[in-house]
């Protein structure tokens, strides 16, 4: 819980709110998925693969701002767990398109449920209208044109 300027939430930087939200989600995630074989970051990559129409290893490096070696190692792990498969890109044979398998879809369904449960918990004191406003504001913040 944020203690800095707790008497005036307007004085708190967005950064502090984001930090607290991430910490809260991490704690919730770890308590619900104690026996999970992946980290939150790894599951974030798996979710990105699920929701992007076409994803390549290079795309994942760019989106997550991590090394190619890290993504290569992670995709190898996902293949070993049968969560993904790689297919040749018909437009560029040197690129591989990354897609979820049925097992990967099941794994991401599990995560989507956890995310939904967490979101319901942290917004339980908000009205439906407040949730809509919050999501619209967050959407506007992350989609700001540079």
């Amino acid at each position: 819980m944020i203690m800095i300027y707790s008497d005036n939430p307007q004085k708190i930087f967005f950064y502090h709110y984001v930090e607290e939200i991430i910490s809260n989600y991490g704690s919730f995630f770890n308590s619900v998925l104690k026996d999970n074989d992946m980290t939150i970051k790894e599951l974030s990559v798996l979710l990105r693969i699920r929701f992007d129409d076409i994803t390549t290893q290079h795309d994942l490096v760019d989106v997550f701002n991590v090394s190619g070696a890290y993504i290569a190692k992670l995709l190898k792990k996902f293949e070993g767990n049968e969560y993904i498969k790689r297919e040749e890109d018909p437009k560029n044979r040197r690129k591989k398109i990354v897609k979820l398998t049925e097992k990967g879809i099941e794994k991401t369904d599990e995560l989507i449920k956890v995310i939904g449960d967490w979101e319901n918990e942290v917004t339980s004191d908000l009205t439906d209208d407040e949730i809509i406003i919050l999501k619209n504001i967050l959407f506007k913040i992350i989609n700001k044109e540079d």
Side-chain angles (χ1 to χ4, degrees):
M1 193 96 206
I2 297 176
M3 294 304 196
I4 304 169
Y5 304 118
S6 60
D7 60 326
N8 187 351
Q10 305 310 316
K11 290 185 177 182
I12 299 172
F13 288 109
F14 287 144
Y15 165 80
H16 293 295
Y17 289 113
V18 171
E19 189 177 65
E20 290 292 324
I21 289 170
I22 291 169
S23 175
N24 182 286
Y25 174 71
S27 296
F28 183 86
F29 177 87
N30 289 331
S31 70
V32 171
L33 295 176
K34 292 177 191 154
D35 300 326
N36 197 31
D37 62 340
M38 284 190 270
T39 66
I40 293 174
K41 182 77 163 181
E42 291 172 342
L43 285 167
S44 296
V45 173
L46 200 61
L47 274 176
R48 177 61 70 146
I49 294 167
R50 177 168 180 170
F51 292 116
D52 278 353
D53 289 333
I54 297 175
T55 304
T56 66
Q57 180 172 329
H58 181 74
D59 295 334
L60 296 169
V61 168
D62 288 345
V63 166
F64 289 98
N65 195 28
V66 294
S67 72
Y70 171 78
I71 291 294
K73 183 178 176 182
L74 184 55
L75 293 180
K76 188 172 182 171
K77 176 181 177 179
F78 288 168
E79 282 179 315
N81 289 335
E82 300 177 348
Y83 294 146
I84 66 159
K85 60 183 175 182
R86 297 187 225 197
E87 298 175 354
E88 194 172 275
D89 184 343
K91 296 176 187 171
N92 183 345
R93 296 180 62 206
R94 291 179 294 154
K95 286 187 176 181
K96 298 287 185 191
I97 296 172
V98 182
K99 294 186 176 187
L100 288 184
T101 62
E102 212 36 59
K103 190 173 178 181
I105 290 170
E106 289 172 13
K107 187 69 170 177
T108 55
D109 282 345
E110 177 185 335
L111 178 60
I112 290 165
K113 177 166 181 353
V114 170
I115 292 169
D117 291 346
W118 173 78
E119 187 173 304
N120 289 335
E121 182 177 300
V122 298
T123 61
S124 63
D125 292 339
L126 302 178
T127 66
D128 290 344
D129 287 342
E130 288 172 326
I131 293 169
I132 290 168
I133 291 167
L134 174 62
K135 285 187 176 189
N136 284 333
I137 291 169
L138 292 171
F139 183 83
K140 192 181 261 188
I141 289 171
I142 65 167
N143 287 296
K144 183 177 180 330
E145 296 291 322
D146 291 328

